[in-house]
Amino acid sequence: MTTSDDVKDVKKAPAKDPWDLPDVSGLVVGVLGGTGDQGRGLAYRLAKAGQKVIIGSRAAERARTAAEELGLGIEGLDNAECARRSDIVIVAVPWDGHAKTLEALREELAGKLVVDCVNPLGFDKQGAYALKPEEGSAAQQAAALLPGSRVTAAFHHLSAVLLSDPEIDEIDTDVMVLGEKRADTDIVQALAGRIPGMRGVFAGRLRNAHQVESLVANLISVNRRHKAHAGLRVTDV
């Protein structure tokens, strides 16, 4: 019979170190929308860090051209083949093509770790402002459209200008990572940490993705006022 003294003697397993992250160096990263500014910048930085990278585009020829321009062993394929060949797939397509692109790739993305970095934004004379999709966020829309995938959200607040600048060795910023399973967010945090100067920080479940995506509108205002390429840093962690 178990007594209260026995219960007291049971030791809890030590808490997992939040910075004990997996080795992701051998994973293939696909970038859907890799011919756009953000996608090209992410592809360049990850490949420069030693990651195997594939650029995806609706037109395979356009993807191949972008890959050749970037070098670093990057391949260019159509979106479907990019998704099939990759272990992790970063979604960096324009917001207005987000749903259509993912719907078309549901089968190819099944079982994959998908990282959505799309920011639903509108623009008017007053500047950028956040849009709120029916599902709550772009990441939640992705999760709804890709029930067979493991959807996370990250890489929203990075300057495409800094990412693509070969004269810049380190990018001083944190990457907010959201997702439902710690094993998945750990992988994405580790991937972010492959880029010198970056750190991936867990920032909650996908239900919190809207405010992370919408913060880009504020950063655009900061950058316009200060003529800068501002990012984020999380303090005290």
Side-chain angles (χ1 to χ4, degrees), residues 149-200:
S149 303
R150 296 139 52 208
V151 176
T152 61
F155 301 115
H156 300 90
H157 306 136
L158 306 181
S159 163
V161 173
L162 297 184
L163 288 172
S164 300
D165 189 341
E167 299 301 316
I168 295 176
D169 294 323
E170 295 188 5
I171 299 179
D172 181 26
T173 192
D174 284 334
V175 172
M176 309 286 273
V177 181
L178 303 98
E180 299 304 317
K181 295 184 178 180
R182 179 162 183 174
D184 293 337
T185 56
D186 280 357
I187 290 172
V188 181
Q189 284 181 255
L191 186 65
R194 295 273 289 160
I195 300 174
M198 283 192 197
R199 181 180 63 161

Side-chain angles (χ1 to χ4, degrees), residues 109-234:
L109 291 171
K112 306 286 184 176
L113 177 54
V114 174
V115 186
D116 200 294
C117 69
V118 175
N119 302 304
L121 297 176
F123 296 86
D124 60 19
K125 292 181 179 179
Q126 297 182 60
Y129 61 94
L131 304 175
K132 190 162 187 179
E134 182 179 346
E135 297 85 355
S137 65
Q140 287 170 296
Q141 184 183 85
L145 292 172
L146 303 172
S149 303
R150 296 139 52 208
V151 176
T152 61
F155 301 115
H156 300 90
H157 306 136
L158 306 181
S159 163
V161 173
L162 297 184
L163 288 172
S164 300
D165 189 341
E167 299 301 316
I168 295 176
D169 294 323
E170 295 188 5
I171 299 179
D172 181 26
T173 192
D174 284 334
V175 172
M176 309 286 273
V177 181
L178 303 98
E180 299 304 317
K181 295 184 178 180
R182 179 162 183 174
D184 293 337
T185 56
D186 280 357
I187 290 172
V188 181
Q189 284 181 255
L191 186 65
R194 295 273 289 160
I195 300 174
M198 283 192 197
R199 181 180 63 161
V201 179
F202 176 71
R205 294 178 178 267
L206 287 187
R207 68 180 184 180
N208 294 321
H210 171 66
Q211 55 263 39
V212 173
E213 295 170 1
S214 62
L215 187 58
V216 174
N218 302 90
L219 287 176
I220 289 172
S221 296
V222 170
N223 289 334
R224 286 181 173 175
R225 175 64 62 89
H226 296 280
K227 293 181 173 53
H229 303 292
L232 296 179
R233 273 296 188 199
V234 180

Side-chain angles (χ1 to χ4, degrees), residues 11-199:
K11 294 182 179 180
K12 292 183 178 179
K16 186 178 184 297
D17 181 353
W19 301 114
D20 181 16
L21 301 173
D23 178 8
V24 297
S25 60
L27 298 180
V28 178
V29 179
V31 184
L32 302 180
T35 58
D37 292 341
Q38 194 79 358
R40 282 174 64 104
L42 281 169
Y44 171 71
R45 286 291 162 178
L46 289 169
K48 191 175 181 181
Q51 211 75 35
K52 172 59 182 174
V53 176
I54 302 173
I55 282 177
S57 175
R58 286 178 298 175
E61 185 58 38
R62 187 165 58 190
R64 283 192 290 269
T65 298
E68 289 171 3
E69 291 172 351
L70 290 171
L72 299 171
I74 297 172
E75 289 186 70
L77 302 169
D78 65 65
N79 280 334
E81 191 61 22
C82 173
R84 290 189 198 99
R85 293 264 309 274
S86 302
D87 300 305
I88 304 174
V89 180
I90 298 174
V91 181
V93 299
W95 166 240
D96 58 6
H98 184 258
K100 186 176 180 180
T101 298
L102 297 184
E103 284 175 334
L105 297 172
R106 182 176 293 146
E107 182 178 339
E108 290 81 2
L109 291 171
K112 306 286 184 176
L113 177 54
V114 174
V115 186
D116 200 294
C117 69
V118 175
N119 302 304
L121 297 176
F123 296 86
D124 60 19
K125 292 181 179 179
Q126 297 182 60
Y129 61 94
L131 304 175
K132 190 162 187 179
E134 182 179 346
E135 297 85 355
S137 65
Q140 287 170 296
Q141 184 183 85
L145 292 172
L146 303 172
S149 303
R150 296 139 52 208
V151 176
T152 61
F155 301 115
H156 300 90
H157 306 136
L158 306 181
S159 163
V161 173
L162 297 184
L163 288 172
S164 300
D165 189 341
E167 299 301 316
I168 295 176
D169 294 323
E170 295 188 5
I171 299 179
D172 181 26
T173 192
D174 284 334
V175 172
M176 309 286 273
V177 181
L178 303 98
E180 299 304 317
K181 295 184 178 180
R182 179 162 183 174
D184 293 337
T185 56
D186 280 357
I187 290 172
V188 181
Q189 284 181 255
L191 186 65
R194 295 273 289 160
I195 300 174
M198 283 192 197
R199 181 180 63 161

Side-chain angles (χ1 to χ4, degrees), residues 1-14:
M1 182 177 70
T2 302
T3 67
S4 59
D5 288 337
D6 293 329
V7 174
K8 290 177 182 177
D9 288 338
V10 174
K11 294 182 179 180
K12 292 183 178 179

